[in-house]
Amino acid sequence: MLMTSAPKVPYVPDGQPWLFAPDGRRGHPRVPVSRALPGAVLFDRDGTLIRDVPYNGDPGRVRPMPYARAAVDAVRRRGIPVAVVTNQSGVARGLLTLGAVEAVRRRVEELLGPFDLWAVCPHGPGDGCGCRKPRPGLVHAACAALGTEPGRAAVLGDIGADLAAARAAGARGVLVPNEVTRPEEITAAEHTAPDLLTAVRRLTARPEGDP
């Protein structure tokens, strides 16, 4: 899938995600990445990187989750691409505009640093798209744009839909629970971590024998 800017047209439920790299970047310079490490780390936005404010289009209400900056920086230091994969059904519901989504994206990057890619599903639950988590479309699209196989990607999220999207795409899912994560989602998760920094440290631990 080609890298494209987020649409500059009114929302149309055509089943395709918005894919864009901020300011036209494809990412910062890379160092060689060991095959033992993830090819990309994909972060859910709301409830994972930042506090979940339903249908938030106000950058002034953006608050990072604990250890979010340290966690993303730890991935960057290993030369691994970082991306955001997020459902934003407020667009389909008429509660968010593209400009509002962009304003929040810019504020997130002011607080957490630049991401190599944002993959946004602007559709609603009834639109039948393939990108709204728990479907795998956002993960597939992000991996294609970043040039890695889904099987080498890791998805970090706070609810079962994030892990279901990872599983459906063939990626590794890690649940980082918060106060809204349901107990049954924690029980069902193959991989969990108490916070983002612990999650990425486990994912990016230097393999034995790796220089």
Side-chain angles (χ1 to χ4, degrees), residues 47-49 51 65-68 71 156-158 163 172-181 186 189-203:
T48 301
L49 287 174
R51 296 287 181 185
M65 293 293 283
Y67 310 111
L156 276 61
D158 65 310
L163 269 62
R172 176 185 178 121
V174 181
L175 186 72
V176 183
N178 57 34
E179 62 275 6
V180 305
T181 310
I186 299 172
E190 183 177 357
H191 304 287
T192 64
D195 56 65
L196 273 180
L197 187 56
T198 300
V200 301
R201 281 176 171 168
R202 291 172 180 172
L203 286 169

Side-chain angles (χ1 to χ4, degrees), residues 119-199:
V120 178
C121 172
H123 309 108
D127 286 337
C129 70
C131 53
R132 179 176 167 81
K133 294 177 288 184
R135 296 182 180 92
L138 286 182
V139 178
H140 282 150
C143 289
L146 293 170
T148 193
E149 302 162 3
R152 290 197 61 215
V155 179
L156 276 61
D158 65 310
I159 61 175
D162 299 314
L163 269 62
R167 185 167 54 250
R172 176 185 178 121
V174 181
L175 186 72
V176 183
N178 57 34
E179 62 275 6
V180 305
T181 310
R182 297 195 301 269
E184 59 267 28
E185 293 176 320
I186 299 172
T187 300
E190 183 177 357
H191 304 287
T192 64
D195 56 65
L196 273 180
L197 187 56
T198 300

Side-chain angles (χ1 to χ4, degrees), residues 80-94:
I80 301 169
V82 288
V84 178
V85 287
T86 178
N87 290 348
Q88 294 300 319
S89 70
V91 178
R93 299 174 196 270

Side-chain angles (χ1 to χ4, degrees), residues 28 41 61 74 90 95 105 115 134 151 193:
H28 53 78
V41 176
R61 301 182 72 187
L95 302 173
R105 187 271 299 170
F115 287 82

